[in-house]
Amino acid sequence: MDDVTRIHTPVMLERCISVLGPALERPGAVLVDTTLGLGGHAEAFLTRFPELTLVGLDRDLQALALAEGRLKPFGDRVHLVHCVYDEIGEALHSLDIPSVEGVLFDLGVSSMQLDRAERGFAYSKDAPLDMRMDQDAPVTAEMILAEYSESDLRRIFRDYGEEKLADRYARRIVQRRAEQPLVRSADLVDLLQQATPAALSRAGHPAKRVFQALRIEVNQELSVLERAIPAAIDALRVGGRIVVMSYQSLEDRIVKRALQALTVSTAPPGLPVELPQHKPELALLVRGAELATDEEKAENPRATPVRFRAAERIRSAS
């Protein structure tokens, strides 16, 4: 087994199993792991539910190859698809699966992508400014830093990184690239550190939010997520359940809106009787966004920022 796979600890694994479990106990149940990664969650579900079929999606071919090796003992209970998770409908159609009992999203950058320095996701490790989750994708972080206008850089740092110094950082990047291109993460980190006022340098690493913003832009993560949650809900049969784990507020806001929109009646005001087609499609299984326990955070530091949301389909969308 690959070293990265061996040390990978799935986030909130037992909580995922306890919430999705009631839907997966049905004979012939199908679970879609939309963010397969290294297959940690998938392996645990396949082990815990011996009759379960798992569909694993990932845009990262490197991750799919590692997960395929890890999940090989489960044979034809596993179907892996190279795609972005907003293509869940197309993936299921290609497998002739009309509906599923469970969908799991574990958002953000995967353990493998963080741990492998050459992928360029971690600001703590010097590497090419790549940040592509799908290495066949055309746009890299280096290209964005070289080609985006100052106003566009400012926009993504502000909107995707919630960075207060977006103006300053964008201006410095444009000044720097006129003299020398930014091609490695250490170059960008050095520039950001120099551009950060001393009084603010103690409020967290200055590169954290900029790297997040670049990664989101490279992979179009938020627009993909806005399409993916409704598509995943559409794939659920009545009684099926969805679990989504987010790691920053922008993701969690999209998930919250998408789930809550289907938990309320759509009946027009003043209608004396609520018609069946106006009844809610979903029931929330978790109040608000659940956090990892202190024990889980101690065991797995990557669980520290997680926001866990879950819902059950209680009515078809007809």
Side-chain angles (χ1 to χ4, degrees):
M1 188 181 293
D2 183 275
D3 287 342
V4 176
T5 308
R6 189 182 299 114
I7 63 172
H8 171 56
T9 304
V11 172
M12 291 185 79
L13 175 59
E14 289 303 320
R15 187 64 178 129
C16 289
I17 289 173
S18 70
V19 172
L20 289 169
L24 303 183
E25 289 166 352
R26 174 179 175 269
V30 177
L31 170 67
V32 184
D33 186 340
T34 68
T35 47
L36 183 66
L38 295 172
H41 286 100
E43 181 182 45
F45 274 101
L46 287 161
T47 302
R48 200 74 62 96
F49 301 93
E51 296 183 49
L52 180 69
T53 294
L54 181 120
V55 177
L57 314 181
D58 210 294
R59 65 170 88 185
D60 191 324
L61 284 169
Q62 198 172 30
L64 279 172
L66 290 169
E68 183 177 20
R70 183 177 194 163
L71 302 177
K72 195 170 184 179
F74 299 101
D76 60 5
R77 295 170 56 204
V78 175
H79 304 278
L80 304 186
V81 182
H82 177 227
C83 69
V84 185
Y85 46 68
D86 63 339
E87 298 171 307
I88 181 173
E90 293 90 330
L92 292 173
H93 180 73
S94 73
L95 296 168
D96 199 25
I97 297 174
S99 61
V100 303
E101 283 65 33
V103 180
L104 173 65
F105 286 86
D106 185 11
L107 300 173
V109 62
S110 76
S111 299
M112 183 203 69
Q113 290 161 345
L114 281 172
D115 291 339
R116 296 201 158 167
E118 70 273 14
R119 301 295 295 273
F121 287 97
Y123 55 80
S124 59
K125 302 170 184 174
D126 184 33
L129 283 163
D130 192 317
M131 300 192 194
R132 290 173 297 174
M133 291 178 176
D134 179 349
Q135 291 180 298
D136 290 335
V139 178
T140 65
E142 179 185 342
M143 291 170 63
I144 288 170
L145 291 168
E147 298 172 10
Y148 276 33
S149 67
E150 181 177 332
S151 62
D152 281 338
L153 289 172
R154 183 166 59 243
R155 172 184 56 79
I156 66 168
F157 296 161
R158 183 185 62 239
D159 294 352
Y160 298 162
E162 300 180 294
E163 174 55 67
K164 294 177 182 177
L165 296 176
D167 288 5
R168 178 189 288 254
Y169 290 158
R171 186 166 60 251
R172 291 291 182 89
I173 287 167
V174 170
Q175 290 171 351
R176 166 67 180 273
R177 76 189 187 191
E179 304 165 5
Q180 183 179 358
L182 289 159
V183 297
R184 299 191 65 83
S185 54
D187 298 333
L188 179 58
V189 168
D190 183 58
L191 180 151
L192 296 171
Q193 287 176 326
Q194 291 182 28
T196 304
L200 297 178
S201 62
R202 291 179 291 276
H205 198 290
K208 180 178 180 180
R209 289 179 291 274
V210 169
F211 270 61
Q212 172 182 299
L214 286 169
R215 191 200 80 217
I216 288 172
E217 178 70 9
V218 167
N219 299 289
Q220 293 295 297
E221 291 175 51
L222 298 184
S223 58
V224 167
L225 183 59
E226 286 177 338
R227 296 189 295 270
I229 300 299
I233 293 167
D234 285 346
L236 284 177
R237 69 187 298 273
V238 173
R241 294 184 168 196
I242 180 172
V243 162
V244 187
M245 291 183 287
S246 308
Y247 294 83
Q248 37 97 345
S249 60
L250 299 171
E251 291 174 338
D252 185 55
R253 213 170 293 149
I254 291 170
V255 176
K256 177 183 177 181
R257 282 199 306 262
L259 295 183
Q260 287 189 340
L262 296 177
T263 62
V264 295
S265 171
T266 58
L271 198 70
V273 177
E274 183 184 47
L275 299 174
Q277 63 266 34
H278 293 146
K279 291 182 180 295
E281 293 181 34
L282 298 180
L284 297 180
L285 298 171
V286 174
R287 186 169 184 174
E290 192 173 293
L291 309 180
T293 63
D294 291 340
E295 291 78 10
E296 166 121 22
K297 292 174 186 177
E299 178 186 343
N300 186 6
R302 284 179 180 160
T304 301
V306 73
R307 300 292 182 269
F308 180 103
R309 294 183 186 271
E312 179 176 348
R313 178 177 276 289
I314 56 174
R315 181 180 72 79
S316 64
S318 58

